[in-house]
Amino acid sequence: MQLLEERIRKDGIVKDGSILKVDSFLNHQMDVTLFVQLGDEFHRLFAGDNVTKILTIEASGIGIACVTAQVFGCPVVFAKKNKTKNIAGDVYTSPVESFTHGTVYDIIVSKDYLKPEDRVLIIDDFLANGAALSGLAKLVQDAGATLVGAGIVIEKAFQPGGELIRSRGIRVESLARVKAMHSDGSIEFC
Amino acid sequence: MQLLEERIRKDGIVKDGSILKVDSFLNHQMDVTLFVQLGDEFHRLFAGDNVTKILTIEASGIGIACVTAQVFGCPVVFAKKNKTKNIAGDVYTSPVESFTHGTVYDIIVSKDYLKPEDRVLIIDDFLANGAALSGLAKLVQDAGATLVGAGIVIEKAFQPGGELIRSRGIRVESLARVKAMHSDGSIEFC
């Protein structure tokens, strides 16, 4: 998606060769006007898939998921990273390794909000190693729901997540696929 | 807001006398169609305040903040609960006590995204003890920005947060104010 690639080139900052900092518009400050355009593009890609629910993960996936859900006219469910007192009862759970923080954590969704009849679109801001997306896909599978695919804002195509997830037969649509980032700050797209 | 009160009566679950579980539509599964109506109401309340930025806190404030920001035509910034590797540089920080988890954590916003010229509307899903809202208000103050007020979806008016924050001269608009919750599951609004 050209608009997004241009925005990444303009406002993205390459750090230490593999970190792409886009917190001026995507995951700390959020440009909601851009999100509307991204949501429209996700809808164009998955309009024929009868999506009944959008699944994402806290925290930075929630904004883009909610704006996208307005176009689909369906609710959002976000997986939580820790069990809180306010989620009681039965949950689906999946372990996720965080490469950013060097830890493993559980993601959790209440069984009340993922049902076998659901047709689920996963939305997230980043795809790199695929750990979060794998965990989310497992939650959908455990619920017996149908996973129609995943819509990702930025895929780091030089990391293994995209290939890993696609090799399992899951449809992944990334609006920008970064092929390489260079020490001079330049960014190449696929 | 009558629509919201009706929804809370219909789908909210009172637990242990003081916990109001609304995770079927507000903070785990998110009814984005309802969020649009809440966002319109926040806009009606703060339309004359020249809001340039909406500030919220991860995770469950982000969805309602992003939908509301579409109506205001401004970006969202969400305060993070822990310093991650992806926020470098100067930050504003404020300690917040979590009564749910029995812990104290820091909330953090990059100095790049709160500026003295900003007119900030804080949006959050709940107001109870006021700890999160106090912390967010301090971030705005530390930035030298103007706090136009706070828009809250559900205020537990029987807890001290609302009175505490209003006594400091901060305008707080809550779309539903819960006066009391009873062991039979019934809910009274102010």
Side-chain angles (χ1 to χ4, degrees), chain A residues 73-116:
Chain A
C74 73
V76 170
V77 177
F78 69 90
K80 303 201 178 195
K81 287 183 178 170
N82 289 294
K83 188 159 191 165
T84 72
K85 288 181 189 171
N86 287 341
I87 300 190
D90 279 347
V91 295
Y92 299 112
T93 182
S94 183
V96 171
E97 186 174 356
S98 166
F99 293 87
T100 312
H101 299 94
T103 54
V104 176
Y105 56 91
D106 284 327
I107 60 171
I108 289 160
V109 165
S110 166
K111 290 188 179 178
D112 291 339
Y113 309 128
L114 276 184
K115 297 289 186 185

Side-chain angles (χ1 to χ4, degrees), chain B residues 58-136:
Chain B
E58 64 177 356
S60 49
I62 296 174
I64 179 69
C66 281
V67 174
T68 301
Q70 285 178 251
V71 194
F72 281 90
C74 73
V76 170
V77 176
F78 69 90
K80 304 202 176 193
K81 286 183 178 170
N82 289 293
K83 187 158 193 168
T84 71
K85 287 182 191 173
N86 288 340
I87 300 191
D90 278 349
V91 296
Y92 298 112
T93 182
S94 182
V96 171
E97 185 173 355
S98 167
F99 294 87
T100 312
H101 299 93
T103 54
V104 175
Y105 56 91
D106 284 327
I107 60 170
I108 289 160
V109 165
S110 165
K111 290 188 179 178
D112 290 338
Y113 308 129
L114 277 184
K115 296 289 186 185
E117 61 269 27
D118 274 321
R119 295 181 57 82
V120 180
L121 172 62
I122 295 173
I123 294 283
D124 208 358
D125 57 339
F126 264 99
L127 171 59
N129 289 290
L133 184 49
S134 271
L136 290 169

Side-chain angles (χ1 to χ4, degrees), chain A residues 132-148:
Chain A
L133 184 49
S134 272
L136 290 169
K138 180 180 177 297
L139 297 178
V140 176
Q141 186 179 27
D142 289 352
T146 302
L147 178 59
V148 306

